[in-house]
Amino acid sequence: MHTTDVNEGVEDAKEWLAKAFRRVRLTVISKIEQNESIYRELDASRAKVTLKEKDANPKSQAGADSRKTFTDHMVVVDWTADRGWADPEIVPHAAFTLMPTASVLHYSTVCYEGMKLYRGFDGKLRLYRPDENAARLATSAERISLPAPPPAEFKALVKKLCSIDGPKWLPQSRQGEYLYIRPCIIGTDPSMGFDIPKEARFFIVISGWETVAETAPSGLRLLTSRADEIRAWPGGSGNFKVGPNYGPTLRNLGQTKGRGYDMTLWLFGPDSRITEALCYLEKYLELVTSPVGDGLILPGITRQSVLTLASERLREGAATAYNLEPLEVVERPLTMSDLAAAHDEGRLLAGLAVGTTYFVTPVGEIDWNGKQILLDSAENKHLLAIKGWLSDIMYGKVESEWAEIVDE
Amino acid sequence: MHTTDVNEGVEDAKEWLAKAFRRVRLTVISKIEQNESIYRELDASRAKVTLKEKDANPKSQAGADSRKTFTDHMVVVDWTADRGWADPEIVPHAAFTLMPTASVLHYSTVCYEGMKLYRGFDGKLRLYRPDENAARLATSAERISLPAPPPAEFKALVKKLCSIDGPKWLPQSRQGEYLYIRPCIIGTDPSMGFDIPKEARFFIVISGWETVAETAPSGLRLLTSRADEIRAWPGGSGNFKVGPNYGPTLRNLGQTKGRGYDMTLWLFGPDSRITEALCYLEKYLELVTSPVGDGLILPGITRQSVLTLASERLREGAATAYNLEPLEVVERPLTMSDLAAAHDEGRLLAGLAVGTTYFVTPVGEIDWNGKQILLDSAENKHLLAIKGWLSDIMYGKVESEWAEIVDE
C-alpha cells in the first residue's frame, strides 16, 4: 500500500485547487463573453448624449419655422440581427455614413413615422398620442422586414430628444406652434445580396414646419390621380408607412403641382375609390370616410382621432351641448362618383384632408378628370369644432390622455 | 452758347471710357458667373481617379468569389437640379456620407441596374448589352423622379471602373467567370419635405458573385406568392427597376426561404398571372412567356435576349442547323393554371428563370398552393442550347455586337 507524505498531499491539493480555480475562471469568462453576444433589446435609459457646441448663429435661437430647418440634435441607434440594439446615441444633427451597398439604398428597406411636438398655451411641451406612432412603426417595420424599437423605448427616446431640443427650437414665445418629428428605420446591411437586412439603423430627427393655414388659406386644391397611375393595391403596402409607397408617387405629384394644385388625391379601381384620409360632410348630416380595412389606406392617427371625437361629441344628444347639429360618422368605401353626386345634388357641405402633416385642413376644390368640385369647407362649423377640439388637446387647453407632457 | 475746353472734353471722355470699361467688365463677370451656374451634363471624360493605396492583403488578389466581396473602387457623381452633374469621381470603395434627411432614406427615391463583367475565354473583359442597361436606367429614373446619366456617359463610366478593377478582381485565371456591377441613383436632397429631389447621387459598385449552378444544381425551387401579397400591379412601378419594388417583397422571400425554396414566384390577380421573367417550354413545341407590356413585368435584358435568340435560331428552318427540333416563341399572359394544365397533360418540358442575376437557370419545381409541379429542366436540350449561345457571346467564344470589350 502506498503511503503519502502529508506535505505532498497539501501540495497536490493546492495544485488541484489552482487548476480548479483556473477552470472556473475560464468558465466564468466564457459565460460573460456568451452573455455579451446575446441579443440585446433597445434600452433608452442607456442613451449617450453628446451635445452640439454652443451655436454661434443667434438666428436659430428664434426657433424653427421651415421644414428645411433642423434642430441641433438627432437620435441614432444601430442594430444587428446577432447582437440586437446598440446603446442609443443623441448627437449633433449631421450627415452620417452608410456603405454605398446599404440595403436601403437599393431595396428601399425603410419605414418611418410623422409626429409633432406642440408648445402648449400653458407653456408646456406635448406629444400627441405617441403610443399610436410607436405601434404603427412596429407594424410598418414588420411589413418591410426591419426591426422595430419596443414602444416604451421608442417613446422614451422621442421624449428625450424633444426635451433637449424643444426649449431652444420651440421656445415659450412660440406657444400654439409645433415642430415636426421624424422617426425612421433603415436597412443598413451592406452585403447587397437581396435578402432581409441583418443590420439596421433607427434614427430620429426634428424639423420646423410651415403652418398649412399660411399655404392654403381657402382650402387645399386636390387633383385626382391619373387612371394609369396607382399608389396602392390590396396586398401591397399602401396601408403601412413604408418608404416604397412614396417615391413612385412623386412623378404624379410633380404633374399635380405643375398644374397649380396642392396635392394628388389617389384613386383606385374602376369605381374611382378614394384611397386617402379624406372625409366629407353631407348636408344630411353624415361625416363620411373610407374604412382602412381594405389595405389601401394608411391607418391615420389624426384620422382616427377625428372619427372618435366626431362620434363622441357630435352624435345625437351630444352635439347640442356645442350648439351644433348632430351628425353620424360613417365609414364606407368612398368613391369619386359618390362625392360628385353629393356635390351635384347640393348635399356636399365640406371636405377635410386629415393627417399629421396637414392636421385637419379644409379642402377647397377637387378636380376629377376636368370636373371641378368646389367646396365651401373653410368656414364649416363642424369642421372648425373638430379642429378646435383637437387643437385644444394638442396645445394643452384641456386635459386629455391623448396628450403627453415632455419634461424640460 | 456754352463752349468747352478741349482738355476738359478729353477728361470727360476718359472718365466715360473708364466707366464704360467698368460696366463692360462687370457684365462680363456676371456673364461668366451666370455661365458657371448653368446646368452641366454628366461628362465621363472629366472623371477624377483616386486609386486605393496598395493592398496589403494578398487574399483579395485571387479575385472576388462572394457577393459580399467588393472591388477596390467605386464611381460617385453628385447632381443638383440647378447645376447638373459634378465631375465624376472614381474613389476607393468605402462608406459615403448622407444627411439623415436624404430623400432616399425616407421616400425610397432609388433606381438601379444589374450588369456583369465577363472574363472571356480569349482573355478579354466584356460587358453584355450595356446600352440596354443605360436605356432602362433612364426610364427607371424618370419613373422615380430622379435624373439619369446620358447613356454614352453611363457606359463610359462603367467601362472606366471595370478597366481599373477588372484586371485584379477578375484576373486571367478566372476565364469564364464574372463580377456583378451595380449602378445606382439615389435622391440625396436633405430638405425632407415630400417632393421631387433637387439633389441626387449616381454611383457604381462592383461585387463578386457565387455562380448559381453551385447553389441550384438540379434547378431552382420556386414557391408561388401568397394570394394576399402582391409585388406589382398595373399603374404601379413593377415594370421599372426601382427600389420600391423590392423591400416590400422581402417578407415573402423570408417565408419562401424558411420553407426551403429558393425564390418567390410572384403572381397577380384572380387568374394567378405569372409576373416574372419565367419561360416554359411546351412539348408542342412552344417557348412561352408573359409579355412585358402589361406593366407588371420588368423588361429584362436577358429575357429579351433569350426570346431573340430562340426566335432567330430555333424557328422552323433554322433549328435543324443545331440538331434541334424547331420551336415557336409565344408571348402571351402566362397563368399558373396554364402551367399546371401543361404539366398535368404531360406537355411541360422545362421551365427557365431568366435574368441578369440568375442568367438562364433551369427551374426544378414550382409549388403552387400545395400543388407540386416538377420539371425536368436541367438537361433540356433547347435550354442548354440557349444558355450556350448566350454564354458564348458573353465570354467571347463568338463575335457579337451584344458584347462590348473593356480595355485594360
Side-chain angles (χ1 to χ4, degrees):
Chain A
M1 202 178 158
H2 183 65
T3 58
T4 55
D5 182 323
V6 173
N7 283 333
E8 205 185 319
V10 170
E11 284 307 309
D12 282 348
K14 272 188 179 171
E15 202 180 312
W16 182 88
L17 269 172
K19 272 187 190 165
F21 182 70
R22 275 201 297 278
R23 209 176 302 128
V24 169
R25 197 169 143 265
L26 285 171
T27 309
V28 168
I29 287 171
S30 148
K31 286 264 182 233
I32 289 169
E33 280 172 359
Q34 275 172 27
N35 206 41
E36 276 181 358
S37 73
I38 278 173
Y39 188 93
R40 278 175 54 193
E41 199 37 279
L42 199 156
D43 182 354
S45 72
R46 294 175 66 93
K48 206 182 84 187
V49 180
T50 309
L51 291 180
K52 191 185 164 194
E53 286 175 41
K54 269 268 179 291
D55 198 347
N57 178 8
K59 254 206 279 186
S60 59
Q61 301 294 333
D65 54 8
S66 148
R67 65 171 76 178
K68 291 182 186 179
T69 311
F70 299 97
T71 64
D72 289 338
H73 300 93
M74 62 182 183
V75 173
V76 181
V77 203
D78 280 324
W79 172 92
T80 69
D82 290 340
R83 305 179 69 90
W85 295 95
D87 289 344
E89 297 201 62
I90 298 181
V91 292
H93 181 100
F96 51 44
T97 59
L98 271 182
M99 289 308 287
T101 52
S103 173
V104 63
L105 303 183
H106 301 261
Y107 309 122
S108 298
T109 43
V110 43
C111 59
Y112 65 85
E113 276 300 313
M115 309 168 70
K116 286 176 175 171
L117 176 66
Y118 304 89
R119 174 63 75 184
F121 289 109
D122 59 351
K124 290 181 182 156
L125 288 177
R126 281 181 183 78
L127 295 172
Y128 180 74
R129 304 185 79 177
D131 291 326
E132 298 293 323
N133 295 100
R136 190 171 63 183
L137 185 64
T139 65
S140 299
E142 196 276 332
R143 181 67 186 85
I144 200 84
S145 300
L146 289 171
E153 306 306 313
F154 168 88
K155 200 162 75 172
L157 284 174
V158 169
K159 284 188 173 175
K160 183 126 189 144
L161 184 62
C162 288
S163 73
I164 292 173
D165 279 354
K168 170 176 165 186
W169 292 90
L170 197 60
Q172 289 292 344
S173 60
R174 287 181 171 265
Q175 289 183 4
E177 297 185 35
Y178 58 81
L179 299 175
Y180 181 81
I181 308 164
R182 172 60 60 88
C184 187
I185 312 173
I186 56 175
T188 52
D189 192 325
S191 55
M192 213 175 75
F194 180 57
D195 215 336
I196 292 172
K198 292 189 175 57
E199 296 177 31
R201 179 172 295 168
F202 167 48
F203 63 94
I204 312 172
V205 295
I206 303 180
S207 77
W209 208 268
E210 306 95 72
T211 54
V212 170
E214 290 160 18
T215 54
S218 66
L220 292 172
R221 300 183 65 231
L222 311 183
L223 179 66
T224 59
S225 57
R226 289 165 32 170
D228 62 349
E229 285 196 12
I230 297 178
R231 187 192 81 94
W233 196 279
S237 55
N239 51 334
F240 298 90
K241 209 161 177 69
V242 296
N245 295 339
Y246 294 86
T249 71
L250 282 170
R251 185 171 68 172
N252 204 302
L253 181 67
Q255 293 163 353
T256 297
K257 288 189 173 176
R259 289 183 54 188
Y261 293 84
D262 298 307
M263 250 195 244
T264 305
L265 181 62
W266 286 96
L267 306 180
F268 177 80
D271 58 352
S272 298
R273 262 154 80 193
I274 295 171
T275 66
E276 310 226 45
L278 180 95
C279 308
Y280 77 90
L281 204 62
E282 276 215 21
K283 206 170 186 175
Y284 169 39
L285 255 159
E286 281 184 349
L287 179 71
V288 190
T289 197
S290 291
V292 296
D294 57 4
L296 297 174
I297 301 181
L298 188 76
I301 297 163
T302 313
R303 174 189 174 282
Q304 192 50 57
S305 303
V306 166
L307 298 186
T308 302
L309 286 180
S311 301
E312 286 176 7
R313 303 187 185 181
L314 293 174
R315 64 180 160 75
E316 191 79 52
T320 44
Y322 302 98
N323 287 322
L324 289 168
E325 285 181 82
L327 60 74
E328 203 182 335
V329 173
V330 181
E331 285 186 81
R332 66 163 181 255
L334 185 58
T335 70
M336 276 308 299
S337 309
D338 295 342
L339 205 66
H343 172 260
D344 292 349
E345 294 160 20
R347 289 185 280 116
L348 198 58
L349 295 182
L352 297 69
V354 168
T356 297
T357 304
Y358 285 91
F359 186 42
V360 180
T361 302
V363 174
E365 181 186 338
I366 301 173
D367 187 311
W368 181 38
N369 300 333
K371 180 180 173 69
Q372 270 197 329
I373 300 174
L374 294 170
L375 295 122
D376 191 22
S377 310
E379 297 304 317
N380 180 277
K381 282 182 186 167
H382 288 93
L383 188 155
L384 290 172
I386 293 169
K387 268 183 86 162
W389 292 331
L390 274 173
S391 177
D392 286 351
I393 295 170
M394 289 160 173
Y395 293 107
K397 281 201 174 170
V398 297
E399 284 276 312
S400 166
E401 60 184 14
W402 284 356
E404 292 195 23
I405 287 171
V406 174
D407 295 324
E408 291 173 82
Chain B
M1 203 176 155
H2 182 66
T3 58
T4 54
D5 182 325
V6 173
N7 282 335
E8 204 184 319
V10 170
E11 283 308 307
D12 282 348
K14 272 188 181 173
E15 201 179 316
W16 182 88
L17 271 171
K19 273 187 190 163
F21 183 71
R22 275 200 297 277
R23 209 175 302 125
V24 168
R25 196 168 146 266
L26 285 172
T27 308
V28 169
I29 288 172
S30 147
K31 285 265 183 233
I32 289 169
E33 280 172 357
Q34 274 171 28
N35 205 39
E36 274 181 358
S37 74
I38 277 174
Y39 188 93
R40 276 176 53 194
E41 198 38 276
L42 199 155
D43 181 354
S45 72
R46 296 175 64 93
K48 206 181 83 186
V49 180
T50 309
L51 291 179
K52 192 185 163 194
E53 286 174 38
K54 269 268 178 292
D55 198 346
N57 178 8
K59 254 206 280 186
S60 59
Q61 301 293 332
D65 53 8
S66 148
R67 64 171 77 177
K68 292 182 185 179
T69 310
F70 300 98
T71 65
D72 288 339
H73 300 93
M74 62 182 184
V75 173
V76 181
V77 203
D78 280 324
W79 172 92
T80 69
D82 291 339
R83 304 179 69 91
W85 295 94
D87 289 344
E89 296 201 61
I90 299 182
V91 292
H93 181 100
F96 51 44
T97 59
L98 271 182
M99 288 307 288
T101 52
S103 173
V104 62
L105 303 183
H106 301 261
Y107 310 122
S108 298
T109 43
V110 43
C111 59
Y112 64 85
E113 276 300 313
M115 310 169 70
K116 285 177 176 170
L117 176 67
Y118 303 88
R119 173 63 74 184
F121 290 109
D122 59 352
K124 290 181 182 156
L125 288 178
R126 281 180 182 80
L127 295 172
Y128 180 73
R129 305 185 80 177
D131 291 326
E132 298 293 323
N133 295 100
R136 189 171 63 183
L137 186 63
T139 65
S140 300
E142 195 276 331
R143 180 67 186 83
I144 200 85
S145 300
L146 289 171
E153 307 305 314
F154 167 88
K155 201 162 74 172
L157 284 175
V158 169
K159 283 188 172 174
K160 183 127 189 144
L161 183 62
C162 288
S163 73
I164 291 173
D165 279 355
K168 170 176 165 185
W169 292 90
L170 197 60
Q172 290 291 343
S173 59
R174 287 181 171 266
Q175 289 183 5
E177 297 185 36
Y178 57 82
L179 299 175
Y180 181 82
I181 308 164
R182 172 60 61 88
C184 187
I185 312 173
I186 56 174
T188 52
D189 192 324
S191 55
M192 214 175 74
F194 181 58
D195 215 337
I196 292 173
K198 293 190 174 58
E199 296 176 31
R201 179 173 295 167
F202 167 49
F203 63 94
I204 312 172
V205 294
I206 302 181
S207 78
W209 209 268
E210 305 95 71
T211 53
V212 170
E214 289 160 20
T215 55
S218 65
L220 291 172
R221 299 183 65 230
L222 311 182
L223 179 64
T224 59
S225 56
R226 289 164 31 169
D228 62 349
E229 285 195 12
I230 61 168
R231 187 192 81 95
W233 55 86
S237 55
N239 51 333
F240 299 90
K241 209 160 177 69
V242 297
N245 295 340
Y246 295 85
T249 71
L250 282 170
R251 185 171 68 172
N252 204 303
L253 180 68
Q255 293 163 353
T256 297
K257 288 188 172 176
R259 289 182 55 188
Y261 293 85
D262 298 308
M263 251 196 240
T264 305
L265 181 62
W266 285 97
L267 307 180
F268 177 80
D271 58 352
S272 298
R273 262 156 77 194
I274 295 172
T275 66
E276 311 225 44
L278 181 93
C279 307
Y280 77 90
L281 204 64
E282 277 213 21
K283 207 170 185 174
Y284 172 38
L285 253 159
E286 280 185 349
L287 179 71
V288 189
T289 197
S290 291
V292 296
D294 58 4
L296 296 174
I297 300 181
L298 188 77
I301 297 162
T302 313
R303 175 189 173 282
Q304 191 50 56
S305 304
V306 167
L307 298 185
T308 301
L309 286 180
S311 301
E312 285 176 7
R313 304 187 186 182
L314 293 175
R315 64 179 161 74
E316 191 79 51
T320 44
Y322 302 98
N323 286 322
L324 289 168
E325 284 182 80
L327 58 74
E328 204 183 333
V329 173
V330 181
E331 285 186 82
R332 65 162 181 255
L334 186 58
T335 69
M336 277 307 300
S337 309
D338 295 341
L339 204 66
H343 173 260
D344 292 349
E345 293 161 20
R347 288 185 280 116
L348 198 58
L349 295 183
L352 297 69
V354 167
T356 298
T357 303
Y358 284 91
F359 185 42
V360 180
T361 303
V363 174
E365 180 186 339
I366 301 174
D367 186 312
W368 181 38
N369 300 332
K371 179 181 173 69
Q372 271 196 329
I373 300 174
L374 294 170
L375 294 123
D376 192 22
S377 310
E379 297 304 317
N380 180 277
K381 282 182 186 169
H382 288 93
L383 189 155
L384 290 172
I386 293 170
K387 269 183 83 161
W389 293 329
L390 274 172
S391 176
D392 285 351
I393 295 170
M394 290 160 173
Y395 294 106
K397 282 200 174 171
V398 296
E399 284 276 313
S400 166
E401 59 184 15
W402 283 355
E404 292 195 24
I405 287 170
V406 174
D407 294 324
E408 292 173 83

